[in-house]
Amino acid sequence: QSVLTQPPSASGTPGQRVTISCSGSSSNIGSNAVNWYQQLPGTAPKLLIFSDNERPSGVPDRFSGSKSATSASLAISGLQSEDEADYYCAAWDDTLGAEFFGGGTKLTVL
Amino acid sequence: QVTLRESGPALVKPSQTLTLTCSFSGFSLTTRQTCVSWIRQPPGKALEWLALIDWDDDKFYSTSLKTRLTISRDLSKNQVVLTMTNVDPVDSATYYCARATPDIDGYYFDYWGQGTLVTVSS
């Protein structure tokens, strides 16, 4: 059983808004920041959202993060074909004393 | 600008020790709030965090792999080395190093290397 749980897949059509969830517990998401990474096919992951809802320089404001209790979400508005990628959430777990990634969500733009 | 590059053997035999090197530029591991981490990804599978070393030479390891991993740094060469003992075919993966920046309560990986593919096979 994964520490952070994501749906394996998500999809949407161009222009739509999609959300990807990440479920954890009080020892990780419930008490620490959640970060999101985007991995385009055949490339290294890229930081998309840090500290729950902050965007690094250069990341479009179409991408946003939110958190409530022990769950976090990544929202992508105005979906574009180039958003087709794998998305991973990550957080530190205080009980286990380690960083964990979710299982990843493959986003398909139909 | 910040760059990281992983290097190491492409093929390792089962039970051997794997040694990977992360060479970085554009930042210093002696600067406060600066860390380097290793993350791996088996083919077609999810990312898995392995280890982290910080500016104070504190080290943190994956709970499931901590007995097999050692992370160290060479400040003179701007390198971070990860060793993994007793490798198995399930350790076949692309291994990434990344710069890690501590947050109030965790870390985020803001720069990544391109990754190096390691296959464990006899």
Side-chain angles (χ1 to χ4, degrees):
Chain A
Q1 189 172 350
S2 299
V3 170
L4 301 180
T5 302
Q6 298 180 235
S9 63
S11 63
T13 56
Q16 261 191 334
R17 182 178 187 272
V18 298
T19 61
I20 296 172
S21 62
C22 177
S23 177
S25 68
S26 57
S27 62
N28 42 69
I29 293 179
S31 50
N32 296 323
V34 176
N35 308 307
W36 291 89
Y37 300 89
Q38 177 193 58
Q39 187 175 32
L40 297 170
T43 69
K46 166 191 164 185
L47 179 65
L48 198 62
I49 297 287
F50 67 98
S51 299
D52 298 338
N53 54 19
E54 299 291 330
R55 281 186 309 277
S57 173
V59 173
D61 59 6
R62 303 187 295 106
F63 295 91
S64 62
S66 63
K67 188 172 80 174
S68 177
T70 59
S71 290
S73 292
L74 172 71
I76 309 172
S77 59
L79 196 62
Q80 300 179 2
S81 58
E82 55 260 40
D83 298 333
E84 192 160 281
D86 293 325
Y87 293 85
Y88 294 91
C89 61
W92 185 265
D93 188 285
D94 290 334
T95 299
L96 298 172
E99 180 81 5
F100 288 88
F101 286 92
T105 299
K106 183 175 183 61
L107 175 64
T108 301
V109 181
L110 303 170
Chain B
Q1 81 271 26
V2 173
T3 64
L4 303 101
R5 187 182 76 252
E6 306 87 351
S7 59
L11 181 65
V12 185
K13 288 181 169 36
S15 80
Q16 288 187 336
T17 294
L18 169 65
T19 299
L20 296 170
T21 300
C22 175
S23 302
F24 59 87
S25 63
F27 67 94
S28 171
L29 246 187
T30 60
T31 302
R32 279 187 65 81
Q33 308 296 305
T34 304
C35 319
V36 171
S37 199
W38 284 94
I39 297 128
R40 72 178 179 180
Q41 185 174 37
K45 295 190 177 181
L47 300 170
E48 179 182 19
W49 179 78
L50 299 176
L52 179 144
I53 188 166
D54 72 12
W55 69 96
D56 237 1
D57 205 26
D58 291 324
K59 299 154 189 174
F60 303 89
Y61 295 99
S62 159
T63 51
S64 60
L65 292 168
K66 62 169 52 178
T67 60
R68 299 172 52 209
L69 296 175
T70 302
I71 191 169
S72 61
R73 63 185 188 175
D74 185 331
L75 298 177
S76 66
K77 294 181 180 178
N78 275 356
Q79 291 180 337
V80 170
V81 175
L82 181 75
T83 61
M84 176 184 289
T85 61
N86 193 26
V87 297
D88 181 271
V90 300
D91 296 313
S92 297
T94 296
Y95 286 75
Y96 296 100
C97 65
R99 191 182 79 165
T101 298
D103 205 339
I104 300 173
D105 41 17
Y107 302 87
Y108 55 88
F109 310 114
D110 48 7
Y111 291 91
W112 294 65
Q114 63 186 17
T116 186
L117 178 62
V118 177
T119 300
V120 180
S121 174
S122 54

Coordinates of all heavy atoms in Angstrom, one line a residue, chain B residues 9-56:
Chain B
P9 N 27.9 3.0 -14.1 CA 27.9 1.8 -15.0 C 26.5 1.6 -15.6 O 25.5 1.8 -14.9 CB 28.3 0.6 -14.2 CG 27.9 1.0 -12.8 CD 28.1 2.5 -12.7
A10 N 26.4 1.2 -16.8 CA 25.1 1.0 -17.4 C 24.6 -0.5 -17.1 O 23.4 -0.7 -17.1 CB 25.1 1.1 -19.0
L11 N 25.6 -1.3 -16.8 CA 25.3 -2.7 -16.5 C 26.0 -3.2 -15.3 O 27.2 -2.9 -15.1 CB 25.6 -3.6 -17.7 CG 25.3 -5.1 -17.6 CD1 23.8 -5.3 -17.5 CD2 25.9 -5.8 -18.8
V12 N 25.3 -3.8 -14.4 CA 25.8 -4.3 -13.1 C 25.3 -5.7 -12.9 O 24.2 -6.0 -13.2 CB 25.4 -3.4 -11.9 CG1 26.2 -3.9 -10.7 CG2 25.8 -2.0 -12.2
K13 N 26.2 -6.6 -12.4 CA 25.8 -8.0 -12.1 C 25.1 -8.1 -10.8 O 25.4 -7.3 -9.8 CB 27.0 -8.9 -12.1 CG 27.6 -9.1 -13.5 CD 28.8 -10.1 -13.5 CE 29.2 -10.6 -14.8 NZ 29.1 -9.6 -15.9
P14 N 24.1 -9.0 -10.6 CA 23.5 -9.2 -9.3 C 24.5 -9.5 -8.2 O 25.5 -10.1 -8.5 CB 22.6 -10.4 -9.6 CG 22.3 -10.4 -11.1 CD 23.6 -9.8 -11.7
S15 N 24.2 -8.9 -7.1 CA 25.0 -9.0 -5.8 C 26.1 -8.1 -5.8 O 26.8 -7.9 -4.7 CB 25.5 -10.5 -5.6 OG 26.7 -10.7 -6.4
Q16 N 26.4 -7.4 -6.9 CA 27.5 -6.4 -6.9 C 27.1 -5.1 -6.2 O 25.9 -4.9 -5.9 CB 28.0 -6.1 -8.3 CG 28.8 -7.3 -8.9 CD 29.4 -6.9 -10.3 OE1 28.9 -6.0 -11.0 NE2 30.5 -7.6 -10.6
T17 N 28.1 -4.2 -6.1 CA 27.8 -2.9 -5.5 C 27.8 -1.9 -6.7 O 28.7 -1.8 -7.5 CB 28.8 -2.5 -4.5 OG1 28.8 -3.3 -3.4 CG2 28.7 -1.0 -4.0
L18 N 26.7 -1.1 -6.7 CA 26.5 0.0 -7.7 C 27.0 1.3 -7.1 O 26.6 1.7 -6.0 CB 25.1 0.1 -8.1 CG 24.6 1.3 -8.9 CD1 25.3 1.2 -10.3 CD2 23.1 1.3 -9.0
T19 N 27.8 2.0 -7.9 CA 28.3 3.3 -7.5 C 27.9 4.3 -8.5 O 28.3 4.2 -9.7 CB 29.8 3.3 -7.2 OG1 30.1 2.4 -6.2 CG2 30.3 4.7 -6.8
L20 N 27.1 5.3 -8.1 CA 26.7 6.4 -9.0 C 27.2 7.7 -8.6 O 27.3 8.0 -7.4 CB 25.2 6.4 -9.1 CG 24.5 5.2 -9.7 CD1 23.0 5.3 -9.4 CD2 24.8 5.1 -11.1
T21 N 27.6 8.6 -9.5 CA 28.1 9.9 -9.2 C 27.3 11.0 -9.8 O 26.8 10.9 -10.9 CB 29.6 10.0 -9.7 OG1 30.4 9.1 -9.1 CG2 30.1 11.4 -9.4
C22 N 27.0 12.0 -9.0 CA 26.2 13.1 -9.4 C 27.2 14.3 -9.4 O 27.7 14.7 -8.4 CB 25.1 13.4 -8.5 SG 24.1 14.9 -8.9
S23 N 27.5 14.8 -10.6 CA 28.4 16.0 -10.7 C 27.5 17.2 -11.0 O 26.6 17.2 -11.9 CB 29.3 15.8 -11.9 OG 30.1 14.7 -11.7
F24 N 27.7 18.3 -10.2 CA 26.8 19.4 -10.3 C 27.6 20.7 -10.4 O 28.7 20.8 -10.0 CB 25.8 19.5 -9.1 CG 26.5 19.5 -7.8 CD1 26.8 20.8 -7.2 CD2 26.7 18.4 -7.0 CE1 27.4 20.8 -6.0 CE2 27.3 18.4 -5.8 CZ 27.7 19.7 -5.2
S25 N 26.9 21.7 -10.9 CA 27.4 23.1 -11.0 C 26.3 24.1 -10.8 O 25.2 23.8 -11.0 CB 28.2 23.2 -12.4 OG 27.2 23.1 -13.4
G26 N 26.7 25.3 -10.6 CA 25.8 26.4 -10.4 C 25.3 26.6 -9.0 O 24.5 27.5 -8.7
F27 N 25.7 25.7 -8.1 CA 25.4 25.9 -6.6 C 26.5 25.1 -5.8 O 27.3 24.4 -6.4 CB 24.0 25.3 -6.3 CG 23.8 23.9 -6.4 CD1 24.0 23.0 -5.4 CD2 23.5 23.3 -7.7 CE1 23.8 21.6 -5.5 CE2 23.3 21.9 -7.8 CZ 23.5 21.1 -6.7
S28 N 26.5 25.4 -4.5 CA 27.5 24.8 -3.6 C 26.7 24.0 -2.5 O 25.7 24.5 -2.0 CB 28.4 25.8 -3.0 OG 29.2 25.3 -2.0
L29 N 27.2 22.9 -2.2 CA 26.6 22.1 -1.2 C 27.0 22.6 0.2 O 26.6 22.0 1.2 CB 27.0 20.6 -1.3 CG 25.9 19.6 -1.6 CD1 26.4 18.2 -1.6 CD2 24.7 19.8 -0.7
T30 N 27.8 23.6 0.3 CA 28.2 24.2 1.6 C 27.2 25.4 1.9 O 27.3 25.9 3.0 CB 29.6 24.7 1.6 OG1 29.8 25.7 0.5 CG2 30.6 23.6 1.3
T31 N 26.4 25.7 0.9 CA 25.5 26.8 1.1 C 24.3 26.3 1.9 O 23.7 25.3 1.6 CB 25.0 27.4 -0.2 OG1 26.1 27.8 -1.0 CG2 24.0 28.5 0.0
R32 N 23.9 27.1 3.0 CA 22.8 26.7 3.8 C 21.5 26.5 2.9 O 21.3 27.2 1.9 CB 22.5 27.7 4.8 CG 23.4 27.7 6.1 CD 22.9 28.6 7.1 NE 21.6 28.3 7.6 CZ 21.3 27.4 8.6 NH1 22.3 26.7 9.1 NH2 20.1 27.2 9.0
Q33 N 20.7 25.5 3.3 CA 19.4 25.3 2.6 C 19.7 24.6 1.2 O 18.9 24.8 0.3 CB 18.6 26.5 2.5 CG 18.4 27.3 3.8 CD 17.6 26.5 4.8 OE1 16.5 26.0 4.5 NE2 18.1 26.2 5.9
T34 N 20.8 24.0 1.1 CA 21.1 23.3 -0.2 C 21.4 21.8 0.0 O 22.1 21.5 0.9 CB 22.3 23.9 -0.9 OG1 22.1 25.3 -1.1 CG2 22.5 23.3 -2.3
C35 N 20.7 21.0 -0.7 CA 20.8 19.5 -0.6 C 20.9 18.9 -2.0 O 20.5 19.5 -3.0 CB 19.6 19.0 0.2 SG 19.0 19.9 1.6
V36 N 21.3 17.7 -2.0 CA 21.2 16.8 -3.2 C 20.6 15.5 -2.9 O 20.9 14.9 -1.8 CB 22.6 16.6 -3.8 CG1 22.5 15.6 -5.0 CG2 23.2 17.9 -4.4
S37 N 19.7 15.1 -3.8 CA 19.0 13.8 -3.5 C 19.1 12.9 -4.7 O 19.4 13.3 -5.8 CB 17.5 14.2 -3.3 OG 16.8 13.1 -2.6
W38 N 18.9 11.6 -4.5 CA 18.8 10.6 -5.5 C 17.4 10.0 -5.6 O 16.8 9.8 -4.5 CB 19.8 9.5 -5.3 CG 21.2 9.8 -5.6 CD1 22.2 10.3 -4.7 CD2 21.9 9.7 -6.8 NE1 23.4 10.5 -5.4 CE2 23.2 10.1 -6.7 CE3 21.5 9.3 -8.1 CZ2 24.1 10.2 -7.7 CZ3 22.4 9.3 -9.2 CH2 23.7 9.8 -9.0
I39 N 16.9 9.9 -6.7 CA 15.6 9.3 -7.0 C 15.7 8.3 -8.2 O 16.5 8.6 -9.1 CB 14.6 10.5 -7.4 CG1 14.5 11.4 -6.2 CG2 13.3 9.9 -7.8 CD1 14.7 12.9 -6.6
R40 N 15.0 7.2 -8.1 CA 15.1 6.3 -9.3 C 13.7 6.0 -9.8 O 12.7 6.3 -9.2 CB 15.7 5.0 -8.8 CG 14.9 4.1 -7.9 CD 15.7 2.8 -7.6 NE 14.9 1.9 -6.7 CZ 15.4 0.8 -6.3 NH1 16.6 0.3 -6.7 NH2 14.6 0.0 -5.5
Q41 N 13.7 5.4 -11.0 CA 12.4 5.1 -11.7 C 12.6 3.9 -12.6 O 13.2 3.9 -13.6 CB 12.0 6.3 -12.6 CG 10.7 6.1 -13.3 CD 10.2 7.3 -14.0 OE1 11.0 8.1 -14.6 NE2 8.9 7.6 -13.9
P42 N 12.1 2.7 -12.1 CA 12.2 1.5 -13.0 C 11.4 1.8 -14.2 O 10.4 2.6 -14.3 CB 11.5 0.5 -12.1 CG 11.6 1.0 -10.7 CD 11.5 2.5 -10.8
P43 N 11.7 1.1 -15.3 CA 11.1 1.3 -16.6 C 9.5 1.2 -16.5 O 9.0 0.2 -16.0 CB 11.6 0.2 -17.5 CG 13.0 -0.1 -16.9 CD 12.8 0.1 -15.4
G44 N 8.8 2.2 -16.9 CA 7.4 2.2 -16.9 C 6.7 2.3 -15.5 O 5.5 2.1 -15.4
K45 N 7.6 2.6 -14.5 CA 7.0 2.6 -13.1 C 7.2 4.0 -12.5 O 7.7 5.0 -13.2 CB 7.7 1.6 -12.3 CG 7.3 0.2 -12.7 CD 7.8 -0.9 -11.7 CE 7.4 -2.3 -12.2 NZ 7.8 -3.3 -11.2
A46 N 6.8 4.1 -11.3 CA 6.8 5.4 -10.6 C 8.1 5.8 -10.1 O 9.1 5.0 -9.9 CB 5.8 5.4 -9.5
L47 N 8.3 7.1 -9.7 CA 9.5 7.6 -9.1 C 9.6 7.0 -7.6 O 8.6 6.9 -7.0 CB 9.4 9.1 -9.0 CG 9.3 9.9 -10.3 CD1 9.0 11.4 -10.1 CD2 10.6 9.7 -11.1
E48 N 10.8 6.8 -7.2 CA 11.1 6.3 -5.9 C 12.2 7.1 -5.3 O 13.3 7.1 -5.8 CB 11.4 4.8 -5.9 CG 11.7 4.3 -4.5 CD 12.1 2.8 -4.5 OE1 12.4 2.3 -5.5 OE2 12.0 2.2 -3.4
W49 N 12.0 7.8 -4.2 CA 13.1 8.5 -3.5 C 14.0 7.6 -2.8 O 13.6 6.6 -2.2 CB 12.4 9.5 -2.5 CG 13.5 10.3 -1.8 CD1 14.1 11.4 -2.2 CD2 13.9 10.1 -0.4 NE1 15.0 11.9 -1.2 CE2 14.9 11.1 -0.1 CE3 13.6 9.1 0.6 CZ2 15.5 11.1 1.1 CZ3 14.3 9.2 1.8 CH2 15.2 10.2 2.0
L50 N 15.3 7.9 -2.9 CA 16.3 7.0 -2.3 C 17.1 7.6 -1.2 O 17.2 7.0 -0.1 CB 17.3 6.6 -3.4 CG 16.8 5.9 -4.6 CD1 17.9 5.6 -5.6 CD2 16.1 4.6 -4.2
A51 N 17.6 8.8 -1.3 CA 18.5 9.4 -0.3 C 18.7 10.9 -0.5 O 18.5 11.4 -1.6 CB 19.9 8.7 -0.3
L52 N 19.1 11.5 0.6 CA 19.4 13.0 0.5 C 20.6 13.3 1.4 O 20.7 12.7 2.5 CB 18.1 13.7 0.9 CG 18.2 15.3 0.9 CD1 16.9 15.9 0.5 CD2 18.6 15.8 2.3
I53 N 21.4 14.2 1.0 CA 22.5 14.8 1.8 C 22.4 16.3 1.8 O 22.1 16.9 0.7 CB 23.9 14.3 1.3 CG1 25.0 14.7 2.2 CG2 24.2 14.8 -0.1 CD1 26.3 13.9 2.0
D54 N 22.6 16.9 3.0 CA 22.4 18.3 3.0 C 23.7 19.1 3.2 O 24.8 18.5 3.3 CB 21.3 18.7 4.0 CG 21.8 18.5 5.5 OD1 23.0 18.3 5.7 OD2 20.9 18.5 6.4
W55 N 23.6 20.4 3.4 CA 24.7 21.3 3.5 C 25.5 21.0 4.8 O 26.7 21.4 4.8 CB 24.2 22.7 3.4 CG 23.5 23.2 4.6 CD1 23.9 23.8 5.8 CD2 22.1 22.9 4.9 NE1 22.9 24.0 6.6 CE2 21.7 23.5 6.1 CE3 21.0 22.3 4.1 CZ2 20.4 23.4 6.7 CZ3 19.7 22.3 4.6 CH2 19.5 22.8 5.9
D56 N 24.9 20.4 5.7 CA 25.5 20.1 7.0 C 26.0 18.7 7.1 O 26.5 18.2 8.1 CB 24.5 20.3 8.1 CG 25.0 21.3 9.2 OD1 26.1 21.8 9.0 OD2 24.2 21.5 10.2

